[in-house]
Amino acid sequence: MKAVIQRVTNAKVILNNEVPVSIGPGICVLVGFHKEDTLKDLEYIVKKILSVKLYADDNDENWEKSVVDKQLEVLIISQYTIYNGWKGNTPDFHKTMGGEKSQELYSKLMEMAREIYNPEKVKDGVFGIYRQLYLENDGSMTFEIDSPQACHELPNENSKSTI
């Protein structure tokens, strides 16, 4: 599983010229699911998203506070293309988890993030439909996090997914 985190002053999702979800200061997180991801990958990513130190403390010491420490908002968006590969110049998505399973994992991710943090501060970027995302970066702060199992190889015959 991968997450791309951007520190933002605001972000919003637009669907059919309407804004179903928006946040003020906080982080916008794009998450991608590998076809072999498990609940352990999910747990790791959720905890990491909420605990990474992206903010200064009250003494202006950088990298001391998390989004939770600062009580800021979190917008999480499923991003199918994060696990793309390439066939020449054409994107290839054979490593990406399919729609139904990734929707299940995304729902669990949202549930877990809301349980760990304030549910009103964790916003759902709307799964699986065409949308526009507008965000204003807070500095040039973009970070990628991979779950420990993110570098999946082809599974052997004995491996089984737990999801």
Side-chain angles (χ1 to χ4, degrees), residues 7-161:
R7 200 171 81 176
V8 298
T9 56
N10 64 75
K12 62 185 174 182
V13 171
I14 298 180
L15 299 169
N16 302 320
N17 296 320
E18 294 185 18
V19 180
V21 62
S22 65
I23 64 169
I27 57 175
C28 180
V29 183
L30 305 175
V31 294
F33 304 102
H34 186 279
K35 65 183 179 180
E36 297 297 322
D37 279 339
T38 67
L39 289 175
K40 285 185 180 184
D41 296 291
L42 175 72
E43 290 167 359
Y44 176 86
I45 289 293
V46 169
K47 289 176 183 175
K48 197 71 157 175
I49 287 168
L50 297 175
S51 64
V52 293
K53 309 287 188 198
L54 303 178
Y55 297 92
D57 64 12
D58 295 336
N59 298 321
D60 286 331
E61 293 291 326
N62 282 325
W63 319 116
E64 296 294 326
K65 298 284 184 176
S66 70
V67 68
V68 173
D69 295 333
K70 301 284 273 184
Q71 291 294 295
L72 301 174
E73 294 182 291
V74 179
L75 174 59
I76 301 174
I77 300 169
S78 174
Q79 185 70 30
Y80 179 80
T81 59
I82 285 178
Y83 269 109
N84 79 293
W86 296 98
K87 287 186 179 177
N89 293 327
T90 304
D92 174 60
F93 302 104
H94 77 276
K95 294 187 274 183
T96 303
M97 184 178 283
E100 189 175 311
K101 287 181 82 176
S102 61
Q103 184 170 13
E104 180 183 329
L105 206 58
Y106 178 76
S107 294
K108 288 179 183 180
L109 182 147
M110 292 301 303
E111 181 181 316
M112 183 179 290
R114 289 175 170 156
E115 284 176 8
I116 293 172
Y117 188 34
N118 180 342
E120 294 176 13
K121 300 242 185 216
V122 178
K123 308 294 177 143
D124 185 341
V126 189
F127 182 87
I129 58 175
Y130 184 81
R131 63 201 175 247
Q132 290 81 42
L133 170 63
Y134 291 90
L135 60 90
E136 183 175 275
N137 284 92
D138 181 12
S140 53
M141 304 284 183
T142 303
F143 302 92
E144 183 177 312
I145 298 173
D146 294 320
S147 65
Q149 300 180 58
C151 298
H152 299 284
E153 297 297 323
L154 291 175
N156 64 37
E157 295 160 350
N158 298 324
S159 66
K160 294 182 182 177
S161 177

